[in-house]
Amino acid sequence: MRGILFAFLGGACITLQGVANARISQDIGTWQAATITQLTGFIMALAIALMVRDGKKHGFRKSKPLYLTGGAFAAFVIFSEVTAIQNIGVTLTISALLIAQLCLTFVIDVRGWFGVAKQKMKLPQFIGIGMMILGVVVLKF
Amino acid sequence: MLAGILLALIAGALVSLQNIFNAKVNEHTGSWTTTTLVLGMGFAASLLMGLIMEGKNMFTLQHMQPWYWLSGMIGVGVVICLVQATRILGATYAISIVLTSQLGFALLWDSLGWLGLAKVPFSFNQLIGVLIIVGGILVFKLGGARESRA
């Protein structure tokens, strides 16, 4: 039950983040909003990291440099998401975003890119993607 | 409208890549250390892009409200919730619920026009559409024994 609550709140927070960023962007600009929200998030995460000290020594050095830059994508994620929310609303934005996210993850899993464990394509995944796209069509028309 | 959908698709693809990269970093260090790095990188990239695109204007924050500074804490809430949910439920179930909840709240906030965003009136089509997408997510995530990742 607690796990379900955490997952439910987590999803709410992810959408809230997009909505809040869209709102803040209206006032101060999109790049400014992305910069400020991530600065405060960074400071808080750093404070927590220093308290719990969960980082193993040399952890970053074991990771490929490319993977360390993953966070930088967030600048473009926020910019695209905010612009999309302002243009087509929250529901359609999140729907299209999730479809692209799941499809690309699926392709990467099947191909085993970036050294992830390869996985077989199965019928349920195709049906699922088909249903999601159908849902967006129904949503809009 | 097409531009909006295209941007949302780009955002989704980048989220997918980011999740994989972050998970790779997370293999070698703790989740708070990873989160700190991720948000720090995001901050640096946003600042850099802002300076390239807008120059000095980057620092004129018109209509700045105090609560804008606090909105970054939502991201920290996301990490806490996802880490706990995944630990308790396992990735597949946790992510299925997270994605469903994301869509449900999207529909709610569109209908309420909350935070002064343009209101998208609630319609039956929207509800049916969201339910079909949620059904698709559940079939995708729970059908077949795949290891799951968002």
Side-chain angles (χ1 to χ4, degrees):
Chain A
M1 193 59 217
R2 249 173 43 124
I4 295 175
L5 194 65
F6 273 121
F8 181 75
L9 284 177
C13 282
I14 295 175
T15 299
L16 176 62
Q17 216 174 9
V19 173
N21 281 332
R23 174 69 185 81
I24 297 171
S25 296
Q26 282 180 351
D27 274 354
I28 64 173
T30 309
W31 294 115
Q32 287 86 344
T35 305
I36 283 179
T37 54
Q38 291 188 98
L39 175 62
T40 45
F42 166 72
I43 292 170
M44 251 195 93
L46 181 65
I48 297 174
L50 289 175
M51 272 192 294
V52 298
R53 294 207 173 273
D54 63 353
K56 295 177 200 96
K57 260 190 185 170
H58 312 304
F60 288 156
R61 256 185 263 166
K62 279 192 208 144
S63 301
K64 280 196 192 165
L66 172 68
Y67 300 148
L68 296 176
T69 63
F73 294 166
F76 306 97
V77 172
I78 293 174
F79 184 85
S80 306
E81 191 188 4
V82 162
T83 314
I85 287 179
Q86 287 168 349
N87 280 329
I88 58 174
V90 188
T91 312
L92 198 51
T93 299
I94 300 288
S95 305
L97 192 153
L98 289 184
I99 289 176
Q101 183 185 335
L102 287 172
C103 284
L104 183 59
T105 303
F106 185 48
V107 170
I108 292 172
D109 277 344
V110 167
R111 305 264 165 159
W113 286 340
F114 306 114
V116 305
K118 266 197 191 185
Q119 302 197 34
K120 288 248 168 65
M121 289 197 236
K122 290 201 179 122
L123 190 60
Q125 278 75 50
F126 285 107
I127 297 175
I129 289 174
M131 285 174 71
M132 285 184 253
I133 293 170
L134 176 71
V136 170
V137 174
V138 171
L139 190 72
K140 200 52 217 170
F141 303 101
Chain B
M1 190 188 96
L2 220 58
I5 291 188
L6 196 65
L7 282 169
L9 292 174
I10 292 171
L14 288 173
V15 169
S16 159
L17 281 179
Q18 200 190 8
N19 284 345
I20 289 173
F21 287 11
N22 295 350
K24 290 271 171 191
V25 175
N26 209 9
E27 284 169 9
H28 301 295
T29 185
S31 47
W32 285 110
T33 311
T34 308
T35 305
T36 307
L37 171 78
V38 168
L39 288 169
M41 282 286 176
F43 161 70
S46 304
L47 182 63
L48 185 70
M49 283 306 295
L51 287 173
I52 292 171
M53 305 298 283
E54 307 198 1
K56 265 195 312 198
N57 283 339
M58 186 62 191
F59 299 109
T60 46
L61 302 176
Q62 274 182 335
H63 315 296
M64 183 70 193
Q65 306 280 332
W67 73 267
Y68 294 172
W69 289 106
L70 298 178
S71 66
M73 295 185 342
I74 303 169
V76 173
V78 171
V79 175
I80 294 175
C81 290
L82 295 198
V83 168
Q84 291 299 321
T86 308
R87 195 176 55 80
I88 299 170
L89 300 174
T92 305
Y93 286 101
I95 292 166
S96 303
I97 298 169
V98 169
L99 300 180
T100 304
S101 163
Q102 257 181 280
L103 272 173
F105 277 99
L107 187 58
L108 181 70
W109 278 319
D110 259 346
S111 316
L112 295 176
W114 202 50
L115 286 176
L117 290 177
K119 201 167 173 172
V120 180
F122 178 83
S123 73
F124 214 63
N125 264 23
Q126 278 188 313
L127 181 63
I128 301 288
V130 164
L131 287 178
I132 296 175
I133 298 172
V134 167
I137 290 173
L138 296 181
V139 170
F140 185 99
K141 281 289 169 196
L142 306 181
R146 291 171 74 253
E147 277 294 304
S148 192
R149 198 171 21 236

